[in-house]
């Protein structure tokens, strides 16, 4: 007998759940890419992507994951030897810095640890000393999926503007796009990168780079950019292959079309609101269960609505995750990054992914499975976390 049999719930912070509509749209034979209207369809998808990102900027689509999108953004605008500032707020900021080093960029790391959002004043202090404007870009992660902290991108823009510093503001919305509110133009991002497999509910394999005219001017001033990463042809395509620098990812596009339809039908503001309420229900449960479980980010104002990182003490993070997967059919995310000196492998941490195709019942079910695991494993907690979550959901 297993209580895990039946439809499993994937609560990973990416890849997220793929809706049946997305899967069904992908379930077809190879199209004739030379006679279909796929090229026109991509042009429409570009408009929908801009709607989601709240921007009039350009979008280049790559056959890549988020790492590829990072590399594309930098390859079009920066050159080996250029300096970039990375105000890291967790594993993904540190990883982006690694990718930047791999491109020969000189990284100035401003590590914020794994429990705090970016501090605009610390960033101001660094940029103030850069009178020669050697820092060419600031690489900022909107939501760091490892720490689950959300940073204020508009505040970062204000710092750059106050100082008259010309560094490009590049933002990673790989975890947040389609889940947490993001406004590319109003908040002043020059470049924004995203991937298909988180808030956008499509399998991993598409990378998106949004860029404004300022960023594009930098591309145009560069003599050469690796052919595949060059975004120039991708924003003025005459043929489908130009969008993708080769054969189009046909089935990912079929899936993306279905996902964008779902997003348009719901409306991006409603999607942000749904994620916010469901995230609050997760926090209410964790706070109710109490010690040893604790939210990684203390201040609710800077918690992501797409993912929630939790500490529970080694090795119970791993034990609980294993139990809910094997006994209850729910897959949670593992703790990512060195959690503390006492827990370098983060076995005392785990993450609730709550991005994309999730709703009240799936969230309550996920929390119910965790509460059952706490009981089964004899981990101390105050019972009734699921009821606390239900109160949040009832208020809507
Ligand atoms: C998932 C993620 C990445 C990496 O994306 P891949 O598709 O795995 O390369 C980068 N940044 C953030 C914030 C992410 O959540």
């Amino acid at each position: 007998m297993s209580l895990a049999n039946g439809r499993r719930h994937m609560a990973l912070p990416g890849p997220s759940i793929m809706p049946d509509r997305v899967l069904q749209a992908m379930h077809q034979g190879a199209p004739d890419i030379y006679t279909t209207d796929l090229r026109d369809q991509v042009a429409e998808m570009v408009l929908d992507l801009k709607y989601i990102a709240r921007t009039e900027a350009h979008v280049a689509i790559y056959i890549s994951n988020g790492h590829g999108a990072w590399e594309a953004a930098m390859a079009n605008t920066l050159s080996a030897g250029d300096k970039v500032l990375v105000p890291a707020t967790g594993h993904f900021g540190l990883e982006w810095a690694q990718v930047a080093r791999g491109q020969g960029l000189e990284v100035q790391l401003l590590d914020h640890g794994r429990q705090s959002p970016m501090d605009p004043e610390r960033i101001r202090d660094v940029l103030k000393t850069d009178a020669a404007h050697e820092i060419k870009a600031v690489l900022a992660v909107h939501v760091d999926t490892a720490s689950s902290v959300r940073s204020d991108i508009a505040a970062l823009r204000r710092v750059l503007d106050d100082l008259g510093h010309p560094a490009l503001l590049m933002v990673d919305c790989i975890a947040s796009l389609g889940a947490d509110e993001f406004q590319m133009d109003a908040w002043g991002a020059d470049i924004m990168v995203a991937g298909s497999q988180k808030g956008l509910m499509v399998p991993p394999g598409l990378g998106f780079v949004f860029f404004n005219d300022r960023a594009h001017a930098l591309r145009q001033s560069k003599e050469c950019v690796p052919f595949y990463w060059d975004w120039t042809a991708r924003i003025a395509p005459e043929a489908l292959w130009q969008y993708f620098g080769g054969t189009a990812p046909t089935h990912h596009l079929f899936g993306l079309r279905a996902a964008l339809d779902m997003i348009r039908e719901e409306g991006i503001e409603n999607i942000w609101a749904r994620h916010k309420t469901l995230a609050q229900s997760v926090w209410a449960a964790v706070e109710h269960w109490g010690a040893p479980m604790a939210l990684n980010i203390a201040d609710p104002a800077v918690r992501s609505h797409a993912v929630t990182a939790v500490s529970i003490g080694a090795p119970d993070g791993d034990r609980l995750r294993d139990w809910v997967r094997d006994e209850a059919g729910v897959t949670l995310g593992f703790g990512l990054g060195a959690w503390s000196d006492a827990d370098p492998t983060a076995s005392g941490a785990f993450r609730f992914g709550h991005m994309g195709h999730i709703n009240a019942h799936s969230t309550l079910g996920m929390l119910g499975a965790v509460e059952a695991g706490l009981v089964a494993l004899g981990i101390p907690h105050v019972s009734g976390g699921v009821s606390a979550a239900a109160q949040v959901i009832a208020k809507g």
Side-chain angles (χ1 to χ4, degrees), residues 242-258:
Q242 283 183 316
Y243 266 123
F244 300 101
T247 308
T250 50
H251 288 63
H252 277 76
L253 295 173
F254 298 149
L256 180 64
R257 180 64 269 160

Side-chain angles (χ1 to χ4, degrees), residues 13 89-93 114 141 143-149 175 296-297 307-310 334-337 339 349-351:
T89 56
H91 171 83
F92 287 97
R114 56 159 190 88
V141 176
V143 163
D144 195 293
T145 322
S147 62
S148 70
V149 79
N296 185 46
I297 302 302
V307 54
T308 297
V310 167
F334 55 81
L336 185 55
W339 209 249
F350 68 92
R351 291 172 298 155

Side-chain angles (χ1 to χ4, degrees), residues 81-388:
D82 283 350
K83 191 167 172 181
V84 296
L85 178 64
V86 182
T89 56
H91 171 83
F92 287 97
L94 300 174
E95 181 92 346
W96 198 358
Q98 270 308 99
V99 175
R101 290 186 193 101
Q103 282 179 267
L105 302 174
E106 186 193 325
V107 171
Q108 180 165 355
L109 185 65
L110 194 59
D111 195 348
H112 288 68
R114 56 159 190 88
Q115 289 190 296
S116 316
M118 287 184 288
D119 177 353
E121 294 317 307
R122 278 184 72 189
I123 295 166
R124 181 192 300 275
D125 289 343
V126 172
L127 292 173
K128 241 195 308 203
T129 63
D130 181 36
H133 296 160
E134 280 172 1
I135 294 171
K136 300 296 179 206
V138 179
L139 315 187
V141 176
H142 181 215
V143 163
D144 195 293
T145 322
S147 62
S148 70
V149 79
R150 179 165 43 84
S151 291
D152 184 345
I153 300 302
L156 204 48
R157 175 81 266 165
R158 284 194 293 276
V159 167
L160 287 163
D161 287 352
D162 286 352
L163 298 172
H165 198 294
L168 274 188
L169 178 54
M170 291 195 194
V171 183
D172 169 343
C173 289
I174 297 171
S176 54
L177 192 70
D180 273 291
E181 177 177 357
F182 182 77
Q183 313 242 15
M184 177 161 175
D185 292 354
W187 296 358
D190 294 302
I191 292 187
M192 185 270 275
V193 298
S196 51
Q197 79 274 25
K198 300 194 182 179
L200 298 183
M201 309 177 287
V202 177
L206 295 178
F208 306 98
V209 179
F210 297 74
F211 58 96
N212 64 14
D213 287 333
R214 230 188 121 221
H216 192 37
L218 283 174
R219 159 64 195 98
Q220 287 164 314
S221 71
K222 278 188 65 143
E223 270 174 31
C224 67
V225 168
F227 179 87
Y228 187 76
W229 292 138
D230 191 355
W231 63 37
T232 312
R234 291 167 191 254
I235 58 166
E238 284 163 24
L240 187 60
W241 67 263
Q242 283 183 316
Y243 266 123
F244 300 101
T247 308
T250 50
H251 288 63
H252 277 76
L253 295 173
F254 298 149
L256 180 64
R257 180 64 269 160
L260 294 171
D261 286 344
M262 293 174 69
I263 291 170
R264 280 281 197 185
E265 286 162 19
E266 184 173 358
I268 193 69
E269 290 89 353
N270 291 331
I271 290 173
W272 295 336
R274 171 166 55 85
H275 281 83
K276 183 173 184 186
T277 300
L278 295 175
Q280 286 169 339
S281 78
V282 172
W283 309 339
V286 173
E287 281 169 342
H288 182 95
W289 288 322
M293 203 190 283
L295 295 162
N296 185 46
I297 302 302
D299 178 1
V302 298
R303 287 182 202 142
S304 164
H305 300 148
V307 54
T308 297
V310 167
S311 294
I312 190 167
D316 281 347
D318 283 347
R319 284 176 74 219
L320 187 60
R321 225 167 27 83
D322 289 349
W323 192 93
V324 298
R325 182 192 60 225
D326 297 341
E327 307 297 334
V330 172
T331 301
L332 299 165
F334 55 81
L336 185 55
W339 209 249
S340 64
D341 290 344
D343 186 12
T345 61
S347 72
F350 68 92
R351 291 172 298 155
F352 293 100
H354 37 86
M355 53 176 68
H357 197 50
I358 51 147
N359 58 17
H361 86 71
S362 67
T363 304
L364 288 169
M366 167 183 78
L367 295 170
V370 169
E371 186 150 342
L374 293 170
V375 174
L377 297 173
I379 297 172
H381 65 284
V382 176
S383 92
V386 180
S387 301

